Amino acid sequence: FFSTLSTMDDVEEAASFKADYAASNRSTCYTSKELIKQGDLRIGVMVQHPKGDFKYPQWHKFKYFEDVWLPKNPGKLKSLSQIGGLDKLKFEDVQKIKAFCGGEGDAGPGDGGAAAKAKGSTMTADEKALAAESKLVWDLKEKIKNELETKEIKELLEDCGQPASGKIFGGADKTLNRLVDGMLFGWLPKCQMCKDGDFIFSRGKYKCTGNISEYAQCENETTELKRKPFKCPSSWTHSAFLKGFKFKAHKKVMVSIAGDDPMDTDESQPQRQSTQASSSSSQGEPKTKKSVPKPRAESPPKPLEKPFEGCVVAFVGKLTKTTAELEKLTVEHGGASSKTITAKVNMVVTNSLEVETMSSKIKQADKFKIPMVEENWFWNSVTKGSKMNKVECKPLYLKNAPEITAAEKEEAEKENRKRKAAELEALDAAKKAADEADLTEERFQQEGPKRKKLKVKAGCRVAVEPESGLEDVAHVLDVSELEVYNVVLNYADIINNKNTYYMLQLLESDSTVGRKYWVFRKWGRMGTDRGDTKLTEYSSVEAAKKEFQKTYRDKT
């Protein structure tokens, strides 16, 4: 049951992470609980679905992933090969990701190794070619989005003999990518090995998505394909954009910005040899060594920071505590105090009345351009236990507020993201602890054992699945020796680590009075508790048989 073929979605699922641009405004950042805006770069951590034999992404805003998730999970992301979907991103965004995951050049967090390459002249020839190609692709994408609707793109692909539907080729993003690829590089031909499969480009190689037989997938992979020139169909001459488009065959860069295929590098999977060439017109396929990324060094724990360390504070005017008390607290928290206003003073704590009336000390502080803040600055710093940055201080400045640089603003935002994530984590931990406290011994006793014995009723050949809840009032429909409505299907895919079952039963009520029928479904991963069930009631045996047969056909 299900398809026995591996698709590119399966390949991305095999990766530990996934990167893409949000398709809508509906996804939420798992770390900050904030909505991710449509078009924003996001990183997904692939986790096992609790009720199915597949993984799904827990999305994170790019900055929260970089500033919060990575530091909390050191060593989990080591190379680009662990991330699926990179071939669909803009070159500059891939460079951002490469900078913190130890990609080429072993760029570690914060050193900006790969990012510096993207901006400077130290980029390799392959990187320059990829950057130029990325610009071509995304410029054409924007033009097509402004000229054609998704439905029109699909129709145009079909008129040109290109696939535009199904799991591999269907959907707005995939059809748009297919059209852009054809208009820039020419149409991809059919596979000559299986005669009917369509190619896709992934991680520096063309891969066939067809079947070599009824039971096996075509494994044709190549870096050399003769593409067909793009030609606008005669039925589309009404489109000024397509009519005016002049096809010029560009050379496809056959170097993957994303590294090796995640299915090639996963330690639990068999290794497959892969090759790379500099362009589609190159002769031969030079072998490339797989670089082993260096593990990122874990930084030692940062010592506790005193909020006023290296700061000289002066107190002016009437405040909530006496000057002596405030000066004592300043010294206890690492700072120094001054009773007079000199150029050595770094901050003046005062009130708005003092500033409005311009007292002598305020005039002196203004002469030296010393920043003046409300008393809340002092108490907020003590409570926080660390220095307040300029962005946090901004609402508290009364006079001579310093300028905030872009770097300081970015650092403040980074701190804010970490603090917010920590607060949410603490809230989740408290909620989890409260939920666990509610699980009393009485509740555990009521739940009983998870395993149940199957009971085969007299006159029946098959037991009713206990999870249907009908084992005492119904039986499996048994019409004849060759017509028993009970099926258990299994799908095993070693490459993608899938071992899934699907059970299907048509149940008939034991009572002949007002006889009822049900179709029961149960599915999940073999040998685990992951899975789910579904029970549907029908008033007639014909309707139940029809649903049973339809489901069986869908799964096989």
Side-chain angles (χ1 to χ4, degrees):
F1 76 103
F2 303 134
S3 171
T4 58
L5 304 180
S6 299
T7 68
M8 288 320 298
D9 289 332
D10 295 327
V11 172
E12 289 187 5
E13 187 180 307
S16 302
F17 304 88
K18 183 177 181 180
D20 74 0
Y21 301 111
S24 66
N25 293 313
R26 295 192 297 270
S27 60
T28 304
C29 176
Y30 191 77
T31 305
S32 67
K33 311 304 181 192
E34 298 171 353
L35 286 177
I36 303 175
K37 294 181 181 178
Q38 183 178 9
D40 282 0
L41 177 62
R42 59 183 181 176
I43 307 291
V45 180
M46 303 302 292
V47 297
Q48 180 65 48
H49 194 279
K51 293 188 176 182
D53 190 18
F54 62 92
K55 293 183 178 181
Y56 70 98
Q58 288 180 344
W59 293 113
H60 299 259
K61 284 187 172 182
F62 178 80
K63 282 298 179 184
Y64 275 99
F65 182 81
E66 181 181 17
D67 297 340
V68 180
W69 193 91
L70 279 177
K72 287 176 61 178
N73 298 272
K76 291 289 183 69
L77 178 57
K78 299 177 182 178
S79 71
L80 287 177
S81 61
Q82 293 176 261
I83 307 176
L86 292 181
D87 280 331
K88 301 170 187 174
L89 301 183
K90 296 177 181 178
F91 178 79
E92 56 266 29
D93 287 332
V94 177
Q95 296 300 90
K96 290 179 186 177
I97 297 172
K98 186 185 292 186
F100 64 64
C101 76
E104 293 181 16
D106 297 314
D111 67 10
K117 278 187 178 184
K119 295 179 182 178
S121 58
T122 57
M123 285 199 300
T124 65
D126 285 340
E127 286 176 325
K128 289 179 181 179
L130 286 168
E133 182 180 285
S134 178
K135 188 176 187 310
L136 275 175
V137 168
W138 285 92
D139 285 349
L140 184 55
K141 273 188 180 183
E142 291 303 317
K143 290 179 182 178
I144 294 176
K145 284 181 181 179
N146 293 331
E147 296 290 338
L148 300 176
E149 296 181 358
T150 302
K151 183 180 179 181
E152 291 177 313
I153 294 173
K154 181 176 182 292
E155 292 173 353
L156 177 57
L157 286 171
E158 292 172 344
D159 288 348
C160 292
Q162 295 293 310
S165 59
K167 182 179 180 181
I168 304 176
F169 302 103
D173 288 339
K174 293 176 182 178
T175 52
L176 176 60
N177 290 338
R178 190 81 176 184
L179 178 58
V180 169
D181 184 78
M183 293 178 72
L184 288 177
F185 311 107
W187 294 124
L188 288 168
K190 292 284 187 180
C191 176
Q192 294 302 306
M193 185 179 292
C194 65
K195 305 301 181 185
D196 191 44
D198 290 292
F199 283 101
I200 55 175
F201 180 79
S202 175
R203 299 200 176 237
K205 294 177 284 188
Y206 296 112
K207 301 181 181 182
C208 178
T209 60
N211 303 333
I212 198 71
S213 70
E214 185 178 355
Y215 304 101
Q217 181 183 3
C218 181
E219 295 184 353
N220 188 10
E221 295 182 358
T222 181
T223 57
E224 295 286 341
L225 278 180
K226 187 177 180 180
R227 290 177 175 246
K228 300 176 183 178
F230 173 83
K231 185 178 179 181
C232 179
S234 57
S235 57
W236 286 83
T237 52
H238 62 279
S239 170
F241 167 69
L242 293 173
K243 189 176 180 180
F245 180 79
K246 303 296 182 183
F247 174 69
K248 178 184 176 182
H250 295 83
K251 290 182 179 180
K252 183 74 176 174
V253 181
M254 301 300 290
V255 175
S256 174
I257 57 179
D260 296 320
D261 194 314
M263 296 180 68
D264 289 336
T265 57
D266 192 301
E267 294 177 2
S268 64
Q269 308 299 345
Q271 296 292 315
R272 298 184 301 187
Q273 292 184 348
S274 63
T275 58
Q276 292 181 338
S278 60
S279 72
S280 61
S281 63
S282 60
Q283 299 296 323
E285 299 175 2
K287 294 182 180 179
T288 58
K289 294 182 179 179
K290 292 181 181 179
S291 60
V292 181
K294 298 176 183 177
R296 296 186 298 169
E298 294 186 31
S299 55
K302 190 177 180 180
L304 291 175
E305 185 181 10
K306 293 186 177 181
F308 306 125
E309 189 172 4
C311 184
V312 179
V313 184
F315 300 93
V316 177
K318 187 176 181 180
L319 302 170
T320 57
K321 296 284 185 181
T322 65
T323 301
E325 290 174 314
L326 294 170
E327 288 176 345
K328 182 181 178 182
L329 282 171
T330 302
V331 174
E332 288 176 358
H333 289 82
S337 63
S338 175
K339 295 185 181 297
T340 59
I341 306 297
T342 66
K344 293 182 179 180
V345 174
N346 304 111
M347 192 73 77
V348 171
V349 178
T350 184
N351 57 61
S352 56
L353 182 62
E354 289 286 330
V355 175
E356 290 172 6
T357 57
M358 290 296 288
S359 64
S360 59
K361 285 190 176 182
I362 294 298
K363 288 179 180 178
Q364 187 71 3
D366 194 34
K367 177 183 176 181
F368 292 117
K369 300 298 180 184
I370 301 172
M372 305 175 207
V373 291
E374 296 177 357
E375 188 181 354
N376 282 341
W377 170 84
F378 182 86
W379 298 113
N380 288 350
S381 300
V382 172
T383 304
K384 182 183 176 184
S386 61
K387 292 181 180 179
M388 291 182 67
N389 57 60
K390 292 180 182 178
V391 176
E392 292 174 315
C393 292
K394 189 175 180 180
L396 304 175
Y397 284 117
L398 296 172
K399 198 172 180 62
N400 298 332
E403 292 185 4
I404 302 173
T405 65
E408 289 171 333
K409 186 176 180 181
E410 172 63 23
E411 184 62 27
E413 291 174 352
K414 183 176 180 179
E415 289 180 12
N416 186 51
R417 286 191 290 269
K418 288 183 178 180
R419 183 167 58 251
K420 185 172 182 180
E423 291 171 356
L424 288 170
E425 185 178 9
L427 187 64
D428 289 342
K431 185 178 179 182
K432 185 178 179 181
D435 291 341
E436 290 176 350
D438 291 338
L439 297 176
T440 60
E441 183 179 353
E442 180 182 356
R443 177 179 169 184
F444 280 117
Q445 291 174 349
Q446 290 175 352
E447 285 182 350
K450 290 185 178 180
R451 292 186 178 182
K452 295 182 180 180
K453 292 183 178 180
L454 296 176
K455 299 177 183 178
V456 180
K457 294 182 178 180
C460 299
R461 291 184 290 171
V462 181
V464 175
E465 172 58 40
E467 288 188 44
S468 68
L470 301 173
E471 67 269 32
D472 295 328
V473 295
H475 56 271
V476 175
L477 185 63
D478 190 342
V479 178
S480 65
E481 185 71 26
L482 300 177
E483 194 176 349
V484 182
Y485 285 83
N486 178 78
V487 175
V488 179
L489 304 169
N490 175 249
Y491 166 51
D493 185 343
I494 298 175
I495 298 296
N496 290 315
N497 190 30
K498 290 187 176 182
N499 189 12
T500 308
Y501 70 87
Y502 195 98
M503 172 181 280
L504 189 61
Q505 289 187 330
L506 195 163
L507 307 177
E508 181 181 54
S509 62
D510 295 334
S511 174
T512 58
V513 180
R515 178 154 270 174
K516 296 179 181 179
Y517 299 89
W518 299 267
V519 173
F520 174 72
R521 308 165 184 83
K522 179 183 177 183
W523 62 89
R525 183 176 177 86
M526 296 288 288
T528 71
D529 293 331
R530 293 200 298 266
D532 209 348
T533 62
K534 182 179 180 181
L535 182 68
T536 310
E537 183 177 336
Y538 296 90
S539 57
S540 68
V541 66
E542 290 79 12
K545 284 183 177 181
K546 184 177 179 180
E547 179 62 23
F548 183 97
Q549 292 163 358
K550 178 180 180 298
T551 304
Y552 179 79
R553 284 194 299 270
D554 290 343
K555 301 305 177 185
T556 56

